[in-house]
């Protein structure tokens, strides 16, 4: 079978197709193929050979984007078995068979019915077969062939990443690479020049250039200055067909920005400046600004300012504002127009970040001269001192001079100054001031012990301009005068033991003085010389502002005398010295051998009342008899049976009380505890002994005698039910209690009926671990244990 293609349109394919057709025609015309034999032309005898393949095939080509009105001819299938009589049927299968590609089953001609796009699919794989139309049997084996879509230049180059934004430093060398752009072409790069792209620059010359093959953009000029032009818009074109006429093209924009370098030194707009500063400017305040211009940006324009010389270097200082890049001029010392009316400063501004590649452009700093004119201002009076300290003695007479303040007008006018003291409405005015001279005097008598220090504020104003005020603080210290005698430091409770010995120190006393230390200590202690010598006690000055009280005789008796009085004298160290007298009270007490006081008042009181020992014994006997009577009365009260209802009034609103305390755990008559241990043990209902029931018991009440193995809690509930329904019980508001501890008690029963131990050997400390329910019981038994131990 032979496959022939006639769809050669491109110039290159024309020759190939021509050669192919000529060769195919000559070849086929010389061979007639039948099954298992070959016929020769011109009557040659038949020669049997090995069977040959009946298909002759080749690769087909179809041109993409075919827009003609008729289907595009692709090629022809032909079998050696085809005699031209229509007995051979051609079948086409595979990709696009029957839809895109159709075949004439008689002639084998293949046509393309649709316009194909190589960029979507480059080739199609199909299968051809020749069968006998009558028998439907294959005449040739199935053969596979490929139809390739032939590319045409139908896609323009595209820049997928554009537009571009890029930067390059200013002043860069010519040929500095800026950016590489790349365009893509969807056409076949292996066939022709459809995908061969060439780059060119449409806009941006003469500043930039582009490499035609690689698309690398470079600078085309030397020393491109950002300060002259910062932004550039460059348009790059990519054209296929190697840039030939008829090629398709695409373009993109590259936005190039020149970045700054420090190639411009700072410059002051003027070489001379003048600044006015009033003399009233405060020290530390900003008085002016100055700025040098720098064409650079960012850190390349940062600069610092400094004062390099001038007669105002010590009066003014300059700092740099990093945000505004200004020099801030500040005042270091106060200005005085009357002393100096102007200053001169030489100020320099210099870049902080230098680029040594551009050092040839000159020094990156500049200087200017600043003249400062000091302005005259009407200033308030100026005190001779920032503050004053004055002294005056206490008890000084009213009108005593304390001191003088002085203020002057600093202006050339030298106006007169007036003084006055600033007082609040609630302040006591102890001082006044002479309005003309500034002399401060006392207006009241001062007491150092009450107020040792005064702080007042003196204000000065000019006569010509009272609104201009100045203030100064005056501290007045009140000096001490010895006007307070010494006195005992406190009230002393002095005790002397009955068994004291002569010369024994029984107490040490000290003194205080309200005056200053110069007029206070040291203190002198002594006895009054005008009084007779005390035979019982004496005083010893310890010379350390204390004194000791000593006994002069052996033994003291409370029955004879229980209190002694000792007058003493105390003097201070002031000039002149002041003294005072005090009386010490000394009590006689009974003491242990080690000196501890046992008692001081009981025996002394009885003795002073004139009671003898016999009278004391009689009083004690009477007290004991009274106690015995009280105990007997209480015992009788306990044994007496009192009725429950103590009033004949209506008892429904009364609370029944019992005064019977019970006989303790051994009293088995008060309550039958067996009923609580085992309610079933109560064989018969026991009536209350305090009242007599008026009605007979119902059978329901008699059922308790038959209870067997009932819980105590259930027993109590039944008792409560009986009490609620039985009309023979006490009044409705009476309180009935049952000794039921509940089921959550950790201790169980606390009864000692079955305890084998006695009270003496029983330890009750475990009661403290039973919880808050037994707190009171633990405290009671703890006290008993403590008393037994004592």
């Amino acid at each position: 079978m032979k496959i022939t293609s006639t769809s050669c349109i491109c110039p290159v394919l024309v020759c190939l197709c021509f050669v192919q057709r000529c060769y195919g025609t000559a070849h086929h015309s010389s061979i007639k193929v039948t099954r298992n034999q070959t016929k020769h032309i011109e009557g040659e005898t038949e020669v049997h050979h090995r069977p040959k393949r009946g298909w002759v095939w080749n690769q087909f080509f179809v041109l993409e984007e075919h827009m003609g009105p008729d289907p595009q001819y692709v090629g022809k299938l032909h079998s050696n078995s085809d005699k031209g009589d229509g007995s051979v049927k051609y079948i086409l299968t595979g990709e696009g068979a029957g839809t895109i590609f159709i075949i004439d089953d008689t002639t084998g001609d293949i046509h393309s019915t649709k316009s194909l796009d190589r960029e979507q699919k480059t080739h199609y794989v199909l299968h051809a077969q020749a069968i006998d139309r009558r028998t439907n049997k294959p005449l040739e084996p199935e053969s596979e062939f490929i139809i390739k879509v032939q590319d045409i230049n139908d896609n323009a180059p595209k820049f997928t990443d554009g537009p571009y934004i890029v930067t390059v430093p200013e002043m860069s060398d010519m040929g500095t690479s800026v950016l590489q752009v790349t365009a893509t072409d969807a056409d076949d790069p292996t066939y022709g020049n459809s995908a061969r792209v060439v780059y060119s620059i449409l806009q941006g010359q003469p500043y930039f250039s582009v490499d035609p093959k690689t698309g690398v953009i470079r600078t085309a000029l030397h020393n491109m200055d950002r300060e002259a032009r910062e932004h550039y818009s460059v348009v790059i074109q990519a054209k296929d067909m190697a840039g030939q006429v008829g090629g398709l093209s695409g373009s993109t924009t590259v936005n190039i920005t020149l970045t700054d370098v420090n190639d411009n030194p700072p410059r002051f707009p003027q070489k001379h400046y003048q600044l006015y500063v009033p003399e009233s400017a405060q020290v530390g305040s900003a008085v002016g600004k100055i700025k040098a211009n720098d064409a650079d940006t960012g850190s390349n324009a940062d600069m610092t300012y400094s004062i390099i010389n001038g007669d105002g270097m010590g009066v003014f200082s300059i700092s740099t504002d990093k945000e505004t890049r200004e020099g801030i001029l500040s005042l270091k010392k106060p200005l005085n127009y009357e002393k100096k009316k102007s200053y001169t400063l030489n100020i320099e501004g210099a870049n902080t970040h230098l680029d040594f590649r551009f050092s040839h452009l000159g020094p990156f700093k500049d200087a200017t001269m600043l003249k400062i004119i000091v302005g005259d201002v009407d200033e308030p009076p100026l005190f001779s001192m920032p503050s004053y300290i004055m002294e005056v003695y206490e008890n000084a007479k009213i009108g005593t001079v304390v001191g003088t303040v002085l203020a002057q007008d600093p202006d050339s006018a030298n106006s007169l100054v007036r003084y006055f003291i600033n007082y609040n409405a609630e302040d006591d005015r102890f001082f006044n001031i002479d309005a003309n001279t500034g002399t401060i005097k006392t207006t009241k008598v001062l007491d150092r012990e009450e107020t040792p220090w005064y702080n007042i504020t003196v204000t000065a104003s000019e006569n010509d301009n009272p609104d201009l005020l100045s203030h100064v603080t005056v501290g007045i210290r009140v000096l001490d005068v010895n006007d307070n005698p010494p006195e005992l430091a406190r009230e002393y409770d002095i005790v002397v033991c009955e068994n004291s010995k002569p010369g024994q120190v029984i107490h040490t006393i000290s003194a205080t003085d309200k005056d200053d230390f110069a007029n206070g200590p040291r203190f002198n202690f002594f006895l009054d010389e005008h009084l007779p010598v005390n035979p019982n006690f004496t005083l010893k000055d310890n010379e350390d502002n204390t004194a000791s009280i000593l006994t002069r005789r052996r033994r003291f008796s409370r029955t004879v005398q229980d209190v002694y009085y000792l007058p003493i004298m105390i003097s201070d160290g002031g000039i002149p010295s002041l003294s005072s007298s005090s009386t010490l009270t000394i009590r006689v007490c009974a003491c242990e051998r080690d000196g501890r006081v046992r008692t001081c008042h009981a025996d002394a009181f009885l003795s002073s009342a004139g009671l003898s020992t016999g009278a004391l014994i009689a009083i004690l006997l009477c007290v004991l008899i009274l106690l015995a009577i009280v105990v007997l009365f209480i015992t009788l009260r306990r044994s007496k049976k009192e009725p429950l209802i103590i009033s004949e009034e209506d008892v429904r609103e009364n609370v029944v009380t019992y005064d019977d305390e019970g006989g303790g755990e051994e009293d088995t008559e008060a309550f039958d505890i067996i009923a609580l241990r085992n309610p079933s043990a109560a064989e018969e209902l026991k009536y209350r002994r305090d009242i007599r029931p008026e009605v007979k018991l119902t059978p329901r009440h008699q059922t308790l005698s038959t209870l067997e193995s009932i819980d105590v809690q259930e027993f109590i509930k039944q008792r409560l039910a009986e009490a609620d329904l039985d009309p023979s019980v006490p009044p409705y508001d009476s309180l009935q209690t049952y000794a039921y501890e509940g089921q959550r008690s950790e201790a169980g029963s606390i009864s000692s009926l079955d305890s084998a131990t006695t009270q003496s050997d029983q330890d009750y400390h475990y009661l403290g671990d039973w919880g808050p329910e037994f707190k009171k019981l633990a405290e009671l038994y703890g006290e008993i244990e403590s008393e037994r131990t004592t």
Side-chain angles (χ1 to χ4, degrees), residues 8 26 66 91 93 147 160 189 197 219 222 236 248 299 355 362 440 499 527 657 683 785:
C8 299
H66 176 70
I91 299 174
T93 60
I147 299 177
T160 57
V197 178
T219 58
H222 286 286
I236 302 297
L248 303 179
S299 61
D355 192 336
I440 300 174
N499 56 356
L527 299 176
T657 62
E683 297 179 357
E785 182 68 19

mmCIF file of all heavy atoms in Angstrom, residues 8 26 66 91 93 147 160 189 197 219 222 236 248 299 355 362 440 499 527 657 683 785:
data_model
loop_
_atom_site.group_PDB
_atom_site.id
_atom_site.type_symbol
_atom_site.label_atom_id
_atom_site.label_comp_id
_atom_site.label_asym_id
_atom_site.label_seq_id
_atom_site.Cartn_x
_atom_site.Cartn_y
_atom_site.Cartn_z
ATOM 1 N N CYS A 8 1.863 19.988 -0.008
ATOM 2 C CA CYS A 8 3.106 20.717 0.207
ATOM 3 C C CYS A 8 2.910 22.128 -0.298
ATOM 4 O O CYS A 8 2.913 22.363 -1.499
ATOM 5 C CB CYS A 8 4.261 20.026 -0.539
ATOM 6 S SG CYS A 8 4.522 18.329 0.049
ATOM 7 N N ALA A 26 7.223 6.612 -10.218
ATOM 8 C CA ALA A 26 8.131 5.733 -10.957
ATOM 9 C C ALA A 26 8.213 4.369 -10.311
ATOM 10 O O ALA A 26 8.235 3.332 -10.967
ATOM 11 C CB ALA A 26 9.508 6.379 -11.063
ATOM 12 N N HIS A 66 -5.795 26.510 8.601
ATOM 13 C CA HIS A 66 -6.286 26.555 7.225
ATOM 14 C C HIS A 66 -7.687 27.151 7.210
ATOM 15 O O HIS A 66 -8.586 26.682 7.908
ATOM 16 C CB HIS A 66 -6.300 25.145 6.614
ATOM 17 C CG HIS A 66 -6.881 25.097 5.240
ATOM 18 N ND1 HIS A 66 -6.212 25.646 4.136
ATOM 19 C CD2 HIS A 66 -8.047 24.586 4.746
ATOM 20 C CE1 HIS A 66 -6.939 25.474 3.058
ATOM 21 N NE2 HIS A 66 -8.069 24.836 3.397
ATOM 22 N N ILE A 91 -10.058 1.997 5.198
ATOM 23 C CA ILE A 91 -10.627 2.379 6.516
ATOM 24 C C ILE A 91 -9.564 3.149 7.294
ATOM 25 O O ILE A 91 -8.400 2.738 7.366
ATOM 26 C CB ILE A 91 -11.075 1.132 7.301
ATOM 27 C CG1 ILE A 91 -12.168 0.379 6.529
ATOM 28 C CG2 ILE A 91 -11.600 1.512 8.677
ATOM 29 C CD1 ILE A 91 -12.566 -0.932 7.173
ATOM 30 N N THR A 93 -8.738 4.865 11.126
ATOM 31 C CA THR A 93 -9.060 4.928 12.567
ATOM 32 C C THR A 93 -7.964 5.678 13.293
ATOM 33 O O THR A 93 -6.881 5.887 12.756
ATOM 34 C CB THR A 93 -9.209 3.517 13.155
ATOM 35 O OG1 THR A 93 -7.980 2.803 12.983
ATOM 36 C CG2 THR A 93 -10.351 2.754 12.491
ATOM 37 N N ILE A 147 0.088 12.183 11.343
ATOM 38 C CA ILE A 147 -0.181 13.436 10.640
ATOM 39 C C ILE A 147 0.289 14.571 11.529
ATOM 40 O O ILE A 147 -0.244 14.771 12.633
ATOM 41 C CB ILE A 147 -1.682 13.600 10.321
ATOM 42 C CG1 ILE A 147 -2.169 12.465 9.422
ATOM 43 C CG2 ILE A 147 -1.941 14.946 9.665
ATOM 44 C CD1 ILE A 147 -3.666 12.520 9.116
ATOM 45 N N THR A 160 5.626 37.831 29.834
ATOM 46 C CA THR A 160 4.684 37.359 30.867
ATOM 47 C C THR A 160 4.842 38.097 32.186
ATOM 48 O O THR A 160 3.910 38.128 33.002
ATOM 49 C CB THR A 160 4.890 35.856 31.099
ATOM 50 O OG1 THR A 160 6.265 35.623 31.478
ATOM 51 C CG2 THR A 160 4.581 35.075 29.836
ATOM 52 N N PRO A 189 9.674 26.288 17.897
ATOM 53 C CA PRO A 189 11.050 26.799 17.816
ATOM 54 C C PRO A 189 11.954 25.934 16.945
ATOM 55 O O PRO A 189 13.065 26.343 16.604
ATOM 56 C CB PRO A 189 11.509 26.772 19.284
ATOM 57 C CG PRO A 189 10.701 25.690 19.914
ATOM 58 C CD PRO A 189 9.364 25.693 19.218
ATOM 59 N N VAL A 197 13.213 35.155 18.480
ATOM 60 C CA VAL A 197 12.868 36.498 18.950
ATOM 61 C C VAL A 197 14.106 37.385 18.963
ATOM 62 O O VAL A 197 15.191 36.947 19.365
ATOM 63 C CB VAL A 197 12.231 36.437 20.362
ATOM 64 C CG1 VAL A 197 11.912 37.833 20.867
ATOM 65 C CG2 VAL A 197 10.979 35.583 20.328
ATOM 66 N N THR A 219 22.720 50.558 31.104
ATOM 67 C CA THR A 219 22.811 52.019 31.009
ATOM 68 C C THR A 219 23.643 52.373 29.786
ATOM 69 O O THR A 219 24.618 51.691 29.455
ATOM 70 C CB THR A 219 23.449 52.606 32.282
ATOM 71 O OG1 THR A 219 24.747 52.043 32.468
ATOM 72 C CG2 THR A 219 22.577 52.318 33.506
ATOM 73 N N HIS A 222 27.132 57.887 30.752
ATOM 74 C CA HIS A 222 27.958 58.017 31.952
ATOM 75 C C HIS A 222 27.279 58.972 32.941
ATOM 76 O O HIS A 222 26.644 59.955 32.548
ATOM 77 C CB HIS A 222 29.346 58.569 31.594
ATOM 78 C CG HIS A 222 30.223 57.561 30.905
ATOM 79 N ND1 HIS A 222 30.816 56.509 31.569
ATOM 80 C CD2 HIS A 222 30.607 57.455 29.599
ATOM 81 C CE1 HIS A 222 31.524 55.796 30.712
ATOM 82 N NE2 HIS A 222 31.423 56.339 29.502
ATOM 83 N N ILE A 236 10.464 48.115 25.637
ATOM 84 C CA ILE A 236 11.248 47.083 24.968
ATOM 85 C C ILE A 236 10.310 46.290 24.057
ATOM 86 O O ILE A 236 9.205 45.892 24.467
ATOM 87 C CB ILE A 236 11.923 46.156 25.985
ATOM 88 C CG1 ILE A 236 12.823 46.962 26.928
ATOM 89 C CG2 ILE A 236 12.726 45.069 25.277
ATOM 90 C CD1 ILE A 236 13.976 47.650 26.249
ATOM 91 N N LEU A 248 5.886 38.953 13.784
ATOM 92 C CA LEU A 248 4.993 39.482 14.831
ATOM 93 C C LEU A 248 5.816 39.992 15.993
ATOM 94 O O LEU A 248 6.923 39.501 16.276
ATOM 95 C CB LEU A 248 4.025 38.391 15.293
ATOM 96 C CG LEU A 248 3.159 37.752 14.194
ATOM 97 C CD1 LEU A 248 2.274 36.671 14.779
ATOM 98 C CD2 LEU A 248 2.325 38.819 13.499
ATOM 99 N N SER A 299 19.569 58.642 54.061
ATOM 100 C CA SER A 299 20.754 58.769 54.918
ATOM 101 C C SER A 299 21.853 59.578 54.249
ATOM 102 O O SER A 299 22.740 60.104 54.941
ATOM 103 C CB SER A 299 21.277 57.372 55.275
ATOM 104 O OG SER A 299 21.652 56.669 54.102
ATOM 105 N N ASP A 355 30.585 58.887 50.868
ATOM 106 C CA ASP A 355 30.917 57.908 49.835
ATOM 107 C C ASP A 355 32.218 58.380 49.193
ATOM 108 O O ASP A 355 32.258 59.403 48.483
ATOM 109 C CB ASP A 355 29.786 57.838 48.798
ATOM 110 C CG ASP A 355 29.939 56.627 47.879
ATOM 111 O OD1 ASP A 355 31.085 56.132 47.732
ATOM 112 O OD2 ASP A 355 28.918 56.195 47.301
ATOM 113 N N GLY A 362 34.279 67.509 46.197
ATOM 114 C CA GLY A 362 34.491 68.599 47.154
ATOM 115 C C GLY A 362 34.202 68.158 48.580
ATOM 116 O O GLY A 362 33.652 67.077 48.821
ATOM 117 N N ILE A 440 13.260 92.458 107.706
ATOM 118 C CA ILE A 440 12.252 91.565 108.264
ATOM 119 C C ILE A 440 12.325 91.645 109.775
ATOM 120 O O ILE A 440 13.409 91.554 110.375
ATOM 121 C CB ILE A 440 12.478 90.131 107.781
ATOM 122 C CG1 ILE A 440 12.392 90.060 106.242
ATOM 123 C CG2 ILE A 440 11.460 89.174 108.393
ATOM 124 C CD1 ILE A 440 12.746 88.714 105.672
ATOM 125 N N ASN A 499 13.156 42.764 152.270
ATOM 126 C CA ASN A 499 14.441 42.168 152.672
ATOM 127 C C ASN A 499 15.623 42.870 152.007
ATOM 128 O O ASN A 499 16.661 42.245 151.779
ATOM 129 C CB ASN A 499 14.446 40.694 152.321
ATOM 130 C CG ASN A 499 14.164 40.466 150.850
ATOM 131 O OD1 ASN A 499 13.900 41.410 150.119
ATOM 132 N ND2 ASN A 499 14.215 39.202 150.409
ATOM 133 N N LEU A 527 19.823 65.700 145.951
ATOM 134 C CA LEU A 527 18.768 65.877 146.953
ATOM 135 C C LEU A 527 18.751 67.319 147.429
ATOM 136 O O LEU A 527 19.772 68.017 147.396
ATOM 137 C CB LEU A 527 18.979 64.926 148.130
ATOM 138 C CG LEU A 527 18.960 63.425 147.797
ATOM 139 C CD1 LEU A 527 19.274 62.593 149.048
ATOM 140 C CD2 LEU A 527 17.622 63.028 147.212
ATOM 141 N N THR A 657 -39.686 23.922 131.029
ATOM 142 C CA THR A 657 -38.287 23.892 131.451
ATOM 143 C C THR A 657 -38.098 22.867 132.538
ATOM 144 O O THR A 657 -39.021 22.552 133.310
ATOM 145 C CB THR A 657 -37.838 25.275 131.967
ATOM 146 O OG1 THR A 657 -38.619 25.607 133.110
ATOM 147 C CG2 THR A 657 -38.044 26.331 130.897
ATOM 148 N N GLU A 683 -40.099 -3.512 126.196
ATOM 149 C CA GLU A 683 -41.212 -4.444 126.076
ATOM 150 C C GLU A 683 -42.557 -3.770 126.276
ATOM 151 O O GLU A 683 -43.575 -4.236 125.817
ATOM 152 C CB GLU A 683 -41.044 -5.567 127.100
ATOM 153 C CG GLU A 683 -39.774 -6.403 126.854
ATOM 154 C CD GLU A 683 -39.612 -7.488 127.888
ATOM 155 O OE1 GLU A 683 -40.453 -7.523 128.807
ATOM 156 O OE2 GLU A 683 -38.677 -8.295 127.765
ATOM 157 N N GLU A 785 -8.119 17.844 132.100
ATOM 158 C CA GLU A 785 -6.791 17.220 132.037
ATOM 159 C C GLU A 785 -5.721 18.187 132.540
ATOM 160 O O GLU A 785 -4.806 17.811 133.258
ATOM 161 C CB GLU A 785 -6.511 16.773 130.602
ATOM 162 C CG GLU A 785 -5.152 16.059 130.407
ATOM 163 C CD GLU A 785 -5.120 14.706 131.093
ATOM 164 O OE1 GLU A 785 -6.212 14.165 131.387
ATOM 165 O OE2 GLU A 785 -4.016 14.200 131.357
#
